[in-house]
Amino acid sequence: KQEVTQIPAALSVPEGENLVLNCSFTDSAIYNLQWFRQDPGKGLTSLLLIQSSQREQTSGRLNASLDKSSGRSTLYIAASQPGDSATYLCAPPFGNEKLTFGTGTRLTIIP
Amino acid sequence: NAGVTQTPKFRILKIGQSMTLQCAQDMNHNYMYWYRQDPGMGLKLIYYSVGAGITDKGEVPNGYNVSRSTTEDFPLRLELAAPSQTSVYFCASSSSRDWGYPGELFFGEGSRLTVL
């Protein structure tokens, strides 16, 4: 069974700061890992899918890294904006066809 | 391109009633999933399907049933609704990648169900 932990559970930072969200997982035999964002009352939106062979994946101000050997992934957000306020969830696979979700980090960017 | 469409968005049920949550995707994805999300909790997998005619249980399947007669549709049936089934339900789909791993997941907007 894949266990996923996201730390911190909540984070508030002033606008413009760079920040890092952490994700750890117990089963490191994974092929890829996904990061999602969820706005209040909405569904999840995929942000990044990082393959284990890539180690890093970038999209705009977002950068995700993956270290299978240590069972960790990080999501780096550069130059944060109020529109980045949301809950961020990481999801490594469990078995081949399924994803397991962490409980997320609730991010608030203070204008 | 509508993506993943869920209906209804909101529903109130009485204990013991039954209903079906509908999910349709137009991306020709072979993988489809049903998750539930309770307040302050992560998403829990209820059922999933890797293709038409194939379904399998997730972490919390009790009280639910699914079918997958077409690639596009993956309805979730609640039989004998209970207050513990009050939750937000999300349907998702993806293509399959190497070794059967899911690609990018696309989610519907969710169906908020209350059982009184």
Side-chain angles (χ1 to χ4, degrees), chain A residues 31 34 38 46 51 96-97, chain B residues 33 37 97-99 102-103:
Chain A
Y31 176 69
Q34 299 190 38
Q38 185 176 27
S46 179
Q51 310 278 29
N96 281 33
E97 305 95 5
Chain B
Y33 308 87
Q37 185 177 39
R97 305 273 296 254
D98 296 340
W99 297 290

Side-chain angles (χ1 to χ4, degrees), chain B residues 6-8 10-23 34-36 38 46-47 60-67 74-90 111-116:
Chain B
Q6 289 183 237
T7 57
F10 302 93
R11 183 74 185 266
I12 298 175
L13 282 182
K14 294 182 179 178
I15 294 172
Q17 287 185 322
S18 299
M19 75 160 297
T20 299
L21 299 177
Q22 301 291 345
C23 176
W34 276 105
Y35 288 91
R36 60 177 286 173
D38 300 317
I46 306 171
Y47 271 96
V60 290
N62 292 342
Y64 307 94
N65 278 297
V66 294
S67 60
F74 191 40
L76 177 70
R77 177 83 176 162
L78 281 72
E79 304 283 359
L80 299 175
S84 61
Q85 293 178 304
T86 294
S87 190
V88 181
Y89 292 84
F90 289 102
S111 298
R112 185 175 298 273
L113 175 67
T114 302
V115 182
L116 300 175

Side-chain angles (χ1 to χ4, degrees), chain B residues 47-107:
Chain B
Y47 271 96
Y48 68 103
S49 169
V50 298
I54 306 169
T55 62
D56 209 345
K57 296 178 181 178
E59 300 172 81
V60 290
N62 292 342
Y64 307 94
N65 278 297
V66 294
S67 60
R68 183 99 181 267
S69 57
T70 66
T71 298
E72 295 77 19
D73 300 299
F74 191 40
L76 177 70
R77 177 83 176 162
L78 281 72
E79 304 283 359
L80 299 175
S84 61
Q85 293 178 304
T86 294
S87 190
V88 181
Y89 292 84
F90 289 102
C91 179
S93 73
S94 76
S95 58
S96 57
R97 305 273 296 254
D98 296 340
W99 297 290
Y101 283 95
E104 181 183 3
L105 256 68
F106 292 82
F107 279 79

